[in-house]
Amino acid sequence: MACARFATLKAIHGTSTHMHSLRPRIQISDKVRAFSALMSPPSTAVFYENHGPPDTVTKIVQLPPVEIKANDVCVKILASPINPSDINRIEGVYPVRPPLPAVGGYEGAGVVHSVGSATRGLSPGDLVMVSPPSAGTWQTHVVKDKIFWHKLDKDTPVEYAATVTINPLTALRMIEDFVDLKSGDAIVQNGATSMVGQCVIQLAKLRGIHTVNIIRDRPGSDEAKEKLKKLGADEVYTESQLDVKKVKSLLGNVPEPALGFNCVGGNAASLVLKFLRQGGTMVTYGGMAKKPITVSTSSFIFKELSLTGFYLQNWLSLDRNEECREMLDYLLGLIRQGKLKYDMELAPFSEFHTALDKSLGKLGSQPKQVIKF
């Protein structure tokens, strides 16, 4: 677990916040501590004391140094993304969230700054990522037990190391876990322009699996279609193009999909179901439209469709960490070979709240925002 830093917080923009109810976990004088304990540098962090709108409740503060215990590793964070789940945690609506007060962020990558006296296998200067993901990565320095850090090849692009878990790993697990797909089979998905959607297209292509992709009707949809085609998509349709009686007539040479992915809900989920073949499976891993999934009785009785859900957090755990890291290394290997890529926009930490506004949709459709420290 990360060390508690919330003894005295200094607001960056001129105001001080004193957390009288919270104390450092080691109550000793600064003079004794200087000689007896290894300490982290102070950390600049995105901090929130209450749940609510992220653009209202978050602030940039200076956190004091914390002790680096024997099995701890202090990492200088270089990159951390703003995921929808990060926003939901701050809002207080995500099922898994840290206790308050908290530092935002859940994924991240950086270089080792210093290690505890009993730590082996990691040294200052090593490139590492948080694995499994855990809270508190939106800050310049993070102290966690060594079990939370995974050492990487130094030629790994840091922005990919910081983003490879939540979205690319979701894509890989869904492709492998639900249906025994063979080369020549097909997948249908909505939300195809999302990071997960982009990864599904490329990972499926590498396996000889076709993809049918559904995107929203919006300005720039033609450009989005071309971008997905360049990634390897077989077919790309806007939702309005699928307002026809027999959507399967649009498949051409692509076989009826055995597997479907839904991250939207509402009508977009119904469109995925319409494409599925007899006995097909739809996996729901998100609900961006915040609308329920409506399924006709005939879909269950006559088409024998299966509906299930996927939540990556249920799979990520310390007792499965070795298996997880093998898959992450596989994905990062594809990235280094140029076989897997996805849209990101890098934003300096000084412009965090602009990046947050983009992630909140205030500035229109935007790529994934990744904070560079």
Side-chain angles (χ1 to χ4, degrees), residues 344-358:
M344 292 180 281
E345 182 175 345
L346 307 183
F349 189 29
S350 60
E351 298 177 13
F352 170 79
H353 279 97
T354 299
L356 181 61
D357 285 345
K358 291 180 178 180

Side-chain angles (χ1 to χ4, degrees), residues 100-354:
L100 297 177
V103 172
Y106 211 63
E107 282 186 282
V111 294
V112 174
H113 175 272
S114 49
V115 301
S117 58
T119 299
R120 301 291 181 268
L122 290 174
S123 304
D126 287 343
L127 179 65
V128 294
M129 62 181 288
V130 184
S131 176
S134 58
T137 57
W138 290 352
Q139 58 179 314
T140 54
H141 292 84
V142 174
V143 177
K144 293 182 185 289
D145 190 286
K146 63 183 180 182
I147 60 175
F148 286 95
W149 300 109
H150 179 40
K151 185 176 178 180
L152 304 173
D153 289 345
K154 288 201 170 185
D155 61 346
T156 302
V158 68
E159 64 272 20
Y160 280 98
T163 56
V164 72
T165 304
I166 301 298
N167 293 290
L169 189 56
T170 290
L172 181 59
R173 290 247 56 109
M174 291 196 302
I175 289 172
E176 294 193 346
D177 285 1
F178 293 95
V179 175
D180 184 16
L181 297 171
K182 303 290 193 300
S183 179
D185 287 339
I187 293 170
V188 57
Q189 65 169 343
N190 58 34
T193 58
S194 68
M195 189 181 289
V196 172
Q198 294 175 54
C199 292
V200 165
I201 291 169
Q202 296 168 85
L203 293 172
K205 187 77 172 179
L206 289 170
R207 290 160 169 74
I209 298 167
H210 303 284
T211 57
V212 179
N213 302 275
I214 304 167
I215 64 175
R216 290 180 296 157
D217 289 275
R218 64 181 185 186
S221 59
D222 288 340
E223 291 83 353
K225 286 181 182 181
E226 287 305 311
K227 184 176 290 186
L228 295 182
K229 288 285 187 73
K230 287 180 180 178
L231 291 179
D234 292 273
E235 302 290 346
V236 186
Y237 302 105
T238 60
E239 292 182 25
S240 63
Q241 285 181 295
L242 301 178
D243 188 18
V244 296
K245 214 166 191 182
K246 296 183 178 180
V247 295
K248 290 183 180 180
S249 65
L250 302 173
L251 286 173
N253 294 324
V254 175
E256 293 182 17
L259 181 60
F261 299 144
N262 164 51
C263 67
V264 180
N267 180 60
S270 300
L271 292 173
V272 170
L273 290 170
K274 287 180 180 179
F275 273 109
L276 288 177
R277 75 185 187 193
Q278 182 80 18
T281 297
M282 183 174 81
V283 181
T284 293
Y285 66 98
M288 292 188 294
K290 298 182 179 179
K291 294 180 180 179
I293 299 169
T294 303
V295 186
S296 67
T297 303
S298 63
S299 294
F300 283 123
I301 296 176
F302 301 113
K303 288 187 68 177
E304 300 180 299
L305 300 181
S306 298
L307 276 67
T308 188
F310 179 78
Y311 178 42
L312 185 67
Q313 190 66 37
N314 289 338
W315 187 81
L316 293 173
S317 61
L318 288 172
D319 59 351
R320 303 187 71 170
N321 215 14
E322 186 173 344
E323 179 185 1
C324 173
R325 289 179 176 182
E326 287 177 1
M327 300 191 82
L328 292 172
D329 287 340
Y330 165 72
L331 291 168
L332 289 168
L334 294 179
I335 288 166
R336 288 192 295 270
Q337 296 168 39
K339 296 179 179 179
L340 181 65
K341 57 186 178 181
Y342 38 84
D343 290 340
M344 292 180 281
E345 182 175 345
L346 307 183
F349 189 29
S350 60
E351 298 177 13
F352 170 79
H353 279 97
T354 299

